[in-house]
Each structure stands twice: as C-alpha cells, then as structure tokens.
Amino acid sequence: MNILEVYDLTKVYGDFKAVKGISFAVRQGEVFGLLGPNGAGKTTTINMLTGLARTTSGRVVYSGIDYTHDIKKAQHLMGIVPDESNLYPELTGFENLCFCAALYGMKKKEAGAKAEILLEQFGLKDAKDKKFAAYSRGMKRRLTIAAGIIHDPPILFLDEPTTGIDVASARQIRNILKDMNKKGTTIFLTTHYIEEAERLCDRVAFIVEGRIIKIDYVDELIHPVKDRNILILNISGLSDGIEERLLTILPDFKCKRLSNSEIRIESDHPVRTGHIIRILEEEGIDVIEAKRMRATLEDVFVNITGIEAHEMKKEKEKKAG
Amino acid sequence: MNNWIAFFAIFLKDIKTYYLKPPNISWGIIFPFAWAGMFFIRTGGNMMDVMSILPGVMSLSILFGTTSMLSVTITFEKKSRTFDRILLSPIPLTLIMFAKTSGAILFGIVNAFVPFFVAGFFVDLSQVHLSIVIAAIILISIASTFMGLFIATSVSEVFEAQTFSNFFRFPMIFLCGLFFPISKLPSLVRPLSYIMPLTYGVDLLHGAINHTQILPYTFDFAVLFLFCTVLFYISLYNIKKRWVL
C-alpha cells in the first residue's frame, strides 16, 4: 500500500521551473530516498509535500486522500526534519520536545513522558536541561529528528539528515533511522551521501534538474554493475595525460582520474591487482596504495546522471559549512 | 486534534522566551514613566495635566511595546526558521497567528495599565469610565499588535522590521491627537489622522478619562475593530503569499 503518491508534480518560480512534472509513490514501511545534486529540486519537492511550498500543478495523495490543495490537513501524518535544525535556541532540549509535542495536540504529561523516552533513545538524556543553543551540531541534529517523531508520525521526511555533522553522530542517526523504520515508520529522505542512501534506502529516485530520471530498488539498481571490478590506485606525482597513458598501457580497462593522486580502474573482467601494479611500475608510475572496491550505488548514479558524486558531495558540504 | 493545546503552547512559550525577559519587564515600566516625566516637566509639574497626558502615555506604551516586540520576534523566528516549525504543524494558520499575537496583546495591555495605576496615586480617577478604558486598551493593543504582525510579514530582515515600524509609529505620535488635538493640526495634514487606527483609540481614552472625545464611542470601536480585521487578514495573505512559496 502506498502512503504517499505524487502525480505530475510541478513547481515554477517566475520563469524558473524547479520541479518538472515528477511522479512517484512511497510505499508504507519503506525508506525512500531522493538523490540529486544541488538545485535538482529535492528541497522544493519536500517543501511541496509538507506544505512549505505550493504546488504549481500535479497531485499529492496521502493514504489515498488527495491533499493537493490543503496539505495542512495532512500535516498530522508527517514528521518533518528540515536540512537545518530549527528548534528554539533559548529552550532546553526537554522543553523543545514538549513544545513540538504540544504543536501536535499532545497533553503535557504524555508529551513529557515521550520526551524522556526520546532523549534516552537519542543519547541526549544528560543534555536534557541544556539550552538547545549550547548543543553540538550532532546533538542538535539528533534532537531535531527526535522533535520530528515525537507525535509518532506514519511518515517522516528528512532533508539531508547527516549533512555537516561528525561521523559518530551520523552513524548514530543512521542507526536510529533504521530502528524507526523497523518499528514501522515510513521514511522519505533526501541526501547527497549516496553511500548513505545505499545503506538506508529500500528504493531511490535520482532527480536531476527537476526531473526524476530513474527510480528503483537499490538492489535492482546495483545488480547490473555488481560484478564490475574496480581498483582505486593512489599514485605519486600524477601527471597530466595519465588517463590516456594508462589506456595505452591497460587497453582492456576503463581508467578515470579521481583527484590529484587517485586513479580509478574498472573492468567487467577480474582485476589482478599485483599484475596491474607491476605493469604500471615498469612504465615508471609509482603506486603508493591500491584498494579493491565493489560497485556501489554511486557508480550507478554516475552512470545514469553523468554527475560526479564526490563533486556533488563537496559542493554540498561547502554549503553546509 | 486539540488545537488549543498547540495554541497555549505557542502563547506560553512566547511569554516565557520574550515577554518575561528582564529587559522587556523594565521596558514596560520605564517607558511609560519616561513619557509621563517628559510631559510632566514640559507642563511645569501641574498635577491636573496628568489626566490630559494619560491617554497619550497609555497609547504610546501599547504602540511601542507591541509593534516592537512582535515585528522583531516574528521576523527573527522566520529568519532562524523556527517559525517554519510552527507553520508545518497541523494547526490552522489563523489560530497560529492568534497564538503568536496573544502574547504581544497581553504585553500591550499590561504596559498600558502601568501608567494608569501609577496615575491613581497622584490624581482622582473616580470619574474615569473604567469599562471604556479597558475595552479601548484591549482594542488598541490588538490593533497595534496586528500592525506589528503586518510589518513582520511584509519584511525579511530584523532591521527592516525596526525601520518599517518607525515609518508607522512616528507619524502617529504627532497626528493621532495623543498630545495635540487633531483640530489644531493643519487642515492639509488632518485627513491623515483619520487613516490611523491609534486616532480612534486615543479618542476613546480621551473620552473615558477626560470626557473630551470628538467621535462617538461606537464609531471609534467600530473603526478600530475594522482596522484589526483588515490588518490581520492582510498579514495572513502576506504569510500565504510570501512564506508558503
């Protein structure tokens, strides 16, 4: 059963078409990811689905009911975690959670009890009486997610849930999201961390320039490339024209320069690492490190969209500070 | 869903985080005293003049208290995106805005009564129509608060809210009959007085305190009520148009 259905959704700002007639459905109990580069229309889509932006055209259906023209009436079904933490800096963690619970009509006693449980679950019990302004970035993010689920929404929207936070907090958040999903919450998330989407999502949609260009189960997307052999080589003194040079040395492989020191070698046939390093060293190319990789959703994303995932990540992280 | 739980949560949060802060409490006390002191000195310390300046001091206390607080707090919340959290909750927009403005209305009412109670120690207030004073203060507070809301929903930055507030407030000080009778204003300027909500509030207070109103009470109340309604609905329109893009 679909908890959310979107038909031909469009958003136009003046002359600019931010979202160009996208359609998809989110199934009850799944984790659905919307992946795309900066300005692809992810946040605009979330805003239209949650009521922070009006739709120009198209339909939004929650649990079989068309709420296109009055999303407000569907807001009790949603938990919303925006890309920036938007809790009150002058309130404590506990007060923020109780306030958010009250916005959904929860009584004081019930809200307080639920807030205590969430603070414990999100590892924030010791910071319960601390002002939100004094929280670290990771703590702020966790509390914002807790605030988004305090009313037990059937569907949770997360816009870039782990952007700009430390690795440990990001891992903790991913575990929390997995647990929530196991307990039955449907999750709709946007992320620029493709590996995060791969770990968390059941299905993903790739959105580029306001259009969904691919939508499928993560396993199905990876299946055609899962047998591909990938080697990442760290090479000292990487010179210009190395890709062309490698193509002549290793004609059966696809070679790509990733950075100033990294080269990616890819083939449908098994890659013998030692053999390749030997050939390169014979040609005077000094290999410092070689890593075998499996094909990931990132490879699928790059193949389909032509957009380099690491560039997308860098751009987004720069924005997040 | 019980919308009133959300209403009181927003109202109490605003009272706690904005209006009960020491700077605002001291503002509520110092501001009316400063105005009263200024006019008291100007009139040479005549106690009878307390009655004539009381409507003006009460009105200004409300006007400055409500418009400053609301326009700044809402603009600040919108800027820091905490206002989006309320917009995304399943409460009707009208109720959200009533909740956000209730704290400022109460703040304005309390501010207005400070000079009124203090005046009670110096002059005889037994001839004052208390019920008219209370009704006028409530309506002036609502109108001024909704003016603050209109300002907040028309600007994007906190400093713009301050500047835009003054654009409305300062002409009102001179044109609404607070301290100079409207009849003594130049005839070219006089029509401006009648497009300002405070003119009708001040007229009510002059009538209730000094029995010197120029318009009938019912007319003043009706016009103030109309201003409140128009300002509120323009603000709602602004929010839908500018904030729900």
Side-chain angles (χ1 to χ4, degrees):
Chain A
M1 187 196 160
N2 294 332
I3 191 166
L4 168 66
E5 287 160 33
V6 173
Y7 301 100
D8 208 18
L9 198 65
T10 303
K11 181 68 189 174
V12 180
Y13 295 106
D15 294 335
F16 176 65
K17 234 179 175 182
V19 176
K20 300 167 183 168
I22 60 171
S23 301
F24 60 88
V26 179
R27 292 162 196 167
Q28 183 117 37
E30 76 174 347
V31 181
F32 184 89
L34 194 58
L35 304 184
N38 225 3
K42 303 189 296 289
T43 300
T44 306
T45 302
I46 277 206
N47 284 349
M48 282 194 284
L49 300 180
T50 56
L52 258 194
R54 272 185 294 273
T55 56
T56 303
S57 64
R59 288 199 305 135
V60 179
V61 177
Y62 280 99
S63 301
I65 302 168
D66 190 335
Y67 286 104
T68 313
H69 301 294
D70 200 357
I71 293 279
K72 198 143 233 350
K73 286 190 178 145
Q75 280 172 337
H76 67 283
L77 299 170
M78 320 166 188
I80 302 154
V81 181
D83 54 349
E84 279 174 44
S85 298
N86 65 348
L87 292 172
Y88 292 89
E90 62 278 8
L91 297 186
T92 66
F94 181 76
E95 287 169 339
N96 262 305
L97 290 185
C98 289
F99 176 73
C100 292
L103 291 180
Y104 290 86
M106 284 170 76
K107 290 186 178 147
K108 203 175 173 182
K109 205 173 163 189
E110 185 192 358
K114 190 71 197 286
E116 295 280 4
I117 293 169
L118 286 173
L119 285 164
E120 172 88 55
Q121 189 188 340
F122 282 68
L124 295 167
K125 205 178 174 192
D126 294 340
K128 171 190 165 182
D129 297 320
K130 240 188 188 182
K131 291 241 158 75
F132 184 66
Y135 275 34
S136 71
R137 215 164 181 166
M139 288 162 81
K140 279 183 177 168
R141 206 76 195 119
R142 277 182 275 152
L143 194 75
T144 309
I145 296 174
I149 59 165
I150 193 152
H151 58 293
D152 289 324
I155 182 164
L156 177 67
F157 289 91
L158 296 127
D159 197 2
E160 306 281 359
T162 58
T163 300
I165 59 170
D166 60 281
V167 179
S169 291
R171 190 181 303 130
Q172 199 172 5
I173 286 171
R174 278 195 291 269
N175 290 337
I176 288 166
L177 294 178
K178 276 183 201 162
D179 282 348
M180 281 167 49
N181 181 245
K182 268 185 206 156
K183 286 174 191 160
T185 307
T186 306
I187 295 174
F188 180 107
L189 67 87
T190 72
T191 180
H192 66 277
Y193 293 122
I194 300 178
E195 64 274 22
E196 179 169 275
E198 190 178 340
R199 279 187 220 172
L200 281 175
C201 298
D202 298 306
R203 287 194 309 138
V204 293
F206 296 154
I207 182 169
V208 179
E209 291 176 358
R211 283 198 178 89
I212 288 183
I213 53 171
K214 187 81 183 174
I215 179 165
D216 209 338
Y217 284 95
V218 171
D219 293 343
E220 291 296 321
L221 287 167
I222 295 176
H223 185 74
V225 294
K226 76 175 193 314
D227 295 327
R228 198 170 287 174
N229 298 287
I230 298 162
L231 196 63
I232 306 287
L233 300 176
N234 195 335
I235 293 171
S236 73
L238 213 51
S239 57
D240 287 340
I242 186 81
E243 282 156 289
E244 291 77 22
R245 204 171 148 210
L246 285 173
L247 275 176
T248 54
I249 303 167
L250 306 164
D252 297 335
F253 295 87
K254 260 165 80 178
C255 300
K256 193 167 192 183
R257 184 180 183 146
L258 298 178
S259 67
N260 284 339
S261 60
E262 277 188 330
I263 286 280
R264 176 192 160 105
I265 293 175
E266 193 181 318
S267 172
D268 291 333
H269 309 292
V271 176
R272 286 158 54 212
T273 313
H275 175 68
I276 286 174
I277 292 172
R278 217 166 21 252
I279 293 174
L280 291 173
E281 284 179 346
E282 277 167 13
E283 291 293 325
I285 297 168
D286 192 13
V287 178
I288 299 165
E289 191 186 2
K291 279 184 284 187
R292 271 181 174 281
M293 308 284 283
R294 65 176 182 90
T296 62
L297 188 62
E298 187 171 320
D299 298 296
V300 180
F301 181 83
V302 175
N303 282 349
I304 292 175
T305 66
I307 298 165
E308 284 298 339
H310 61 279
E311 287 302 323
M312 188 166 100
K313 197 178 341 184
K314 253 193 257 172
E315 195 183 331
K316 201 82 190 184
E317 278 171 352
K318 211 170 149 188
K319 263 194 138 188
Chain B
M1 195 195 102
N2 191 344
N3 285 333
W4 291 106
I5 292 177
F7 175 91
F8 282 108
I10 297 169
F11 170 71
L12 294 173
K13 185 209 68 83
D14 280 0
I15 292 283
K16 187 188 166 194
T17 52
Y18 301 128
Y19 302 105
L20 284 183
K21 288 279 187 248
N24 288 323
I25 296 171
S26 55
W27 159 279
I29 296 166
I30 292 167
F31 188 82
F33 273 112
W35 278 101
M38 192 171 83
F39 284 94
F40 193 60
I41 291 163
R42 190 191 69 112
T43 55
N46 183 352
M47 278 299 175
M48 285 315 290
D49 276 336
V50 171
M51 294 296 271
S52 64
I53 63 167
L54 192 56
V57 173
M58 289 166 73
S59 306
L60 281 184
S61 301
I62 299 172
L63 181 70
F64 275 79
T66 52
T67 49
S68 307
M69 285 303 291
L70 199 77
S71 58
V72 170
T73 55
I74 289 192
T75 314
F76 176 75
E77 285 194 10
K78 183 62 195 149
K79 193 87 187 142
S80 63
R81 296 179 68 180
T82 49
F83 198 83
D84 287 353
R85 179 163 288 282
I86 302 177
L87 278 182
L88 288 169
S89 62
I91 320 162
L93 185 59
T94 314
L95 196 68
I96 291 176
M97 296 327 293
F98 275 132
K100 288 302 292 178
T101 50
S102 295
I105 292 169
L106 190 63
F107 185 65
I109 293 169
V110 172
N111 272 4
F113 275 108
V114 172
F116 188 75
F117 284 125
V118 174
F121 290 104
F122 299 100
V123 289
D124 177 18
L125 296 176
S126 61
Q127 298 304 307
V128 169
H129 290 300
L130 196 59
S131 54
I132 302 284
V133 169
I134 293 169
I137 285 174
I138 293 171
L139 263 182
I140 298 171
S141 283
I142 296 172
S144 301
T145 302
F146 288 174
M147 189 183 294
L149 180 64
F150 166 71
I151 292 163
T153 57
S154 308
V155 300
S156 309
E157 302 288 341
V158 176
F159 75 88
E160 286 176 321
Q162 294 280 22
T163 316
F164 201 33
S165 297
N166 289 336
F167 177 77
F168 288 99
R169 287 187 304 207
F170 283 98
M172 282 195 204
I173 297 175
F174 302 105
L175 300 176
C176 288
L178 288 168
F179 304 110
F180 320 104
I182 294 173
S183 57
K184 288 186 181 168
L185 292 172
S187 54
L188 272 176
V189 180
R190 215 173 298 156
L192 286 175
S193 302
Y194 292 100
I195 56 166
M196 295 175 175
L198 204 59
T199 301
Y200 303 93
V202 171
D203 192 49
L204 281 170
L205 290 176
H206 275 309
I209 295 171
N210 299 310
H211 311 287
T212 56
Q213 80 267 32
I214 48 172
L215 296 163
Y217 285 144
T218 45
F219 184 76
D220 284 332
F221 279 124
V223 175
L224 265 181
F225 185 78
L226 186 70
F227 267 111
C228 294
T229 311
V230 170
L231 284 168
F232 188 73
Y233 280 98
I234 292 176
S235 305
L236 282 190
Y237 174 81
N238 274 349
I239 292 171
K240 285 181 190 160
K241 194 87 186 156
R242 300 183 74 237
W243 294 356
V244 182
L245 294 170

